[in-house]
Amino acid sequence: MRHRLTCIVCPLGCLIEVKVKNERVTEVIGYKCPRGREWAINEIINPKRIVMSVVKVKNGKLPTVSVKTTKPIPKEKIPELMKVLAQIEVKAPVRVGQVILESPLNLETKIVATRDVESA
Amino acid sequence: MMESYDVIVIGGGPAGLAAAVKAKELGLETLLLDENEFLGGILPQCIHPGFGIHYFKEELTGPEFAHLFIEKIKDVGVKYQTSAYVLNIENYSDLEKKIVFSSPRGIKEVWTKTVIYAAGAREKHAFEIGIVGDRVAGIYTAGEAQTLMDIYGIMPGKEIVIVGSGDVGLIMARRFALEGAKVKAVIELMPYPGGLARNVMILRDFNIPLYLSHKVVEVRGKARVEKIKVVKVDENFKEIPKSEFWINADTLLISAGLMPNVRLLQRIGVKIDPSTGGPIVNELLETTVPGIFVAGNALLINDLVDYVAEQGEIAAFGAKEFIENEGIPSKKWIKLENGQNIRLLAPHYLSGERDVYVYARVSAPMENVKIVFPEIKKKLRSPMVRPAEMLRIRLKAEEIRSAEKKITMEVIPQ
């Protein structure tokens, strides 16, 4: 399997090709720095993303509060995490940095609020 | 006695917040006006990460970036008024301007020596990009959909077609996909994607098809959008006959670019640069009307909030210089002009009295280039330039002084 990626580590945007055989990387070409090489390998073997969304707020000046994961999580876990976030509701006031969920789905991350929401 | 200030900042987004903080720190009596109920401009709805890497040296979301700035506003004690809609700027003389605004307590008038105009940009809408058909529910600009989803928690639709592959369009593609909607296509007029590489990756993450050199031409539906007609275009953007196809969708999202918000400025005679859509400015970001400064997306469309905040601070320094000298005292202005493969740039006039950041965009992507300023013999190399990524180049005072009348900026092959 050959994967073609545009590197996002820096603005150079190298076109990197990663060859994979039996779930193992056999060749990486096109990168111009070691950071790009590492990024491309991770992107194929275990892609991770910061996830952001909004969750419902009870009695707030706004009906939602924006949240994010404090660490990138495996890409394939994202849909499941979004379902968890859709079901929760927090009470106003909410403060930036407030932990909304500790290690959801046993992931090594926290869900934290990214804006203040005052009580209505 | 009417209230009077050294600086009135119009707009409480990142440019206005940065301008107000810096102006106050420089000892200027400052009032910040914003039309929204809360400060931050569009930042509170930009819930994705990627903000403030240069300015705060950490990767923040939009609301977090706004929060840090709003704390600063309070720390330094800037006076601000939200729900304040500026109706008019009246230019009595170089040192007397009257701002008329509506507020929850009625119409108010305040005097000021200088204005920093940081009112941002507006989004282009469906009619501006030549889409015809039924006027039905389900047509939104990307920013409207973002406000609905990320401030008010309302899903605008289930099956989405997005016009435009700029950063805003791509980020909204991800938001819709994350929230469980089906993003059926992103349609891009140009032969290359419009956004930053890291955002183009979103399409791969969610298997969203991208149609390059295509355009949406028609919307059909009874009460709500039902289907959307797409055609392929040639290299001159002319529609290719019989290339059309329909996509079934309930929502059309328009992300066709931003235009600096300059109506109030035009009314007092500020000259506009047709290539940026924003005012013509000198290196302190003063417009052609003395004492009126501009920063952020009202000046030119930026892709990084860090540059927007930087422009706010430059304008604040400009206001201080203006007040101390009752005008900007530079004796000579050297014009900065766009040459080959430079679509737009700012500032337009440089004095050679201080170092200057030049912000510019190229017309077309190009690899292995030289960025050249022939009159001052300055040359930089870059492996890649793209229209989506703004170039920011520091020109030193002595470099600028070495030019006679003008400096040209161009991007040419190495």
Side-chain angles (χ1 to χ4, degrees), chain A residues 5-8 11-13 39 43 49-50 52-54 62-64 66 68 75 78 82 96 114-116, chain B residues 44 47-49 61 63-64 67 149-153 174-175 178-179 197-198 201 204-205 383 386 389:
Chain A
L5 304 167
T6 306
C7 183
I8 59 159
L12 277 182
W39 172 83
E43 187 55 26
R49 299 283 184 269
I50 294 268
M52 61 282 152
S53 185
V54 291
L62 289 176
T64 68
S66 50
K68 69 172 184 186
K75 212 167 92 176
I78 296 175
M82 290 301 290
V96 171
T114 59
R115 68 177 170 234
D116 281 352
Chain B
I47 65 167
H48 52 280
T61 66
E64 289 170 319
H67 177 78
M149 290 170 86
D150 293 336
I151 302 282
Y152 299 105
R174 172 171 60 194
R175 275 301 287 145
L178 276 173
E179 293 296 340
R198 64 164 186 242
M201 209 171 65
R204 206 171 56 93
D205 275 3
R386 297 187 186 87
E389 282 163 38

Side-chain angles (χ1 to χ4, degrees), chain B residues 19-327:
Chain B
V21 168
K22 187 53 79 186
K24 181 75 185 174
E25 284 174 351
L26 292 171
L28 306 177
E29 220 26 71
T30 307
L31 174 68
L32 171 67
L33 299 174
D34 191 80
E35 64 181 25
N36 281 317
E37 283 173 63
F38 42 83
L39 293 176
I42 57 152
L43 288 171
Q45 73 196 49
C46 299
I47 65 167
H48 52 280
F51 294 85
I53 300 157
H54 302 273
Y55 198 92
F56 289 112
K57 310 285 177 223
E58 59 176 318
E59 188 160 352
L60 303 166
T61 66
E64 289 170 319
F65 187 94
H67 177 78
L68 288 179
F69 254 115
I70 294 163
E71 294 288 294
K72 271 190 168 190
I73 283 278
K74 291 173 182 164
D75 283 351
V76 300
V78 172
K79 246 177 104 174
Y80 66 92
Q81 166 81 59
T82 50
S83 302
Y85 184 80
V86 175
L87 300 164
N88 211 7
I89 304 167
E90 293 172 23
N91 188 37
Y92 284 87
S93 71
D94 285 3
L95 296 168
E96 303 163 289
K97 288 120 183 28
K98 191 166 81 179
I99 305 289
V100 186
F101 65 96
S102 68
S103 83
R105 278 165 284 161
I107 304 278
K108 275 194 84 174
E109 294 180 344
V110 285
W111 287 93
T112 185
K113 289 178 189 156
T114 62
V115 173
I116 298 177
Y117 186 87
R122 68 169 182 80
E123 298 181 274
K124 285 191 199 166
H125 51 72
F127 301 132
E128 268 175 295
I129 54 168
I131 297 174
V132 301
D134 297 322
R135 290 189 173 200
V136 286
I139 304 173
Y140 298 93
T141 66
E144 284 168 354
Q146 195 177 44
T147 309
L148 284 172
M149 290 170 86
D150 293 336
I151 302 282
Y152 299 105
I154 297 164
M155 269 305 272
K158 292 194 187 86
E159 294 189 306
I160 327 289
V161 171
I162 297 176
V163 177
S165 65
D167 294 315
V168 185
L170 295 169
I171 283 160
M172 287 312 292
R174 172 171 60 194
R175 275 301 287 145
F176 273 109
L178 276 173
E179 293 296 340
K182 175 89 188 143
V183 182
K184 300 195 97 171
V186 173
I187 313 291
E188 172 58 56
L189 182 65
M190 304 302 280
Y192 47 83
L196 303 172
R198 64 164 186 242
N199 290 329
V200 175
M201 209 171 65
I202 291 166
L203 299 170
R204 206 171 56 93
D205 275 3
F206 295 99
N207 294 316
I208 298 167
L210 169 66
Y211 292 87
L212 297 172
S213 296
H214 278 74
K215 73 191 255 197
V216 167
V217 289
E218 194 178 329
V219 179
R220 285 293 164 209
K222 286 200 182 73
R224 181 160 183 121
V225 175
E226 286 166 22
K227 54 182 184 172
I228 290 157
K229 187 176 168 184
V230 181
V231 298
K232 197 170 176 5
V233 297
D234 64 19
E235 56 272 27
N236 302 312
F237 309 116
K238 253 188 77 185
E239 292 168 26
I240 295 170
K242 291 181 186 156
S243 67
E244 70 265 20
F245 58 96
W246 291 87
I247 302 175
N248 293 325
D250 64 9
T251 302
L252 179 66
L253 198 73
I254 311 290
S255 175
L258 303 168
M259 292 291 290
N261 216 338
V262 290
R263 265 175 65 190
L264 276 178
L265 295 180
Q266 279 176 300
R267 223 191 277 163
I268 51 166
V270 165
K271 294 229 165 37
I272 302 299
D273 171 358
S275 59
T276 59
I280 291 172
V281 292
N282 64 30
E283 67 197 13
L284 291 164
L285 306 185
E286 185 188 31
T287 66
T288 51
V289 173
I292 309 271
F293 296 80
V294 62
N297 282 358
L299 168 65
L300 83 173
I301 303 307
N302 289 269
D303 36 74
L304 290 179
V305 73
D306 308 85
Y307 298 169
V308 166
E310 177 176 272
Q311 290 155 18
E313 292 180 353
I314 295 170
F317 280 114
K320 183 180 164 70
E321 176 103 0
F322 184 93
I323 290 164
E324 279 175 356
N325 302 285
E326 303 200 334

Side-chain angles (χ1 to χ4, degrees), chain A residues 7 12 15 19 27 31-32 34 36-37 47-48 50 55 61 63 71 76 81-82 101 109 116:
Chain A
C7 183
L12 277 182
L15 284 169
K19 286 185 189 161
E27 200 184 354
Y31 60 90
K32 292 196 184 82
R37 184 175 191 275
K48 287 182 173 181
I50 294 268
V55 301
K61 266 195 179 164
K71 282 186 192 154
E76 81 270 6
L81 180 67
M82 290 301 290
L101 281 178
T109 186
D116 281 352

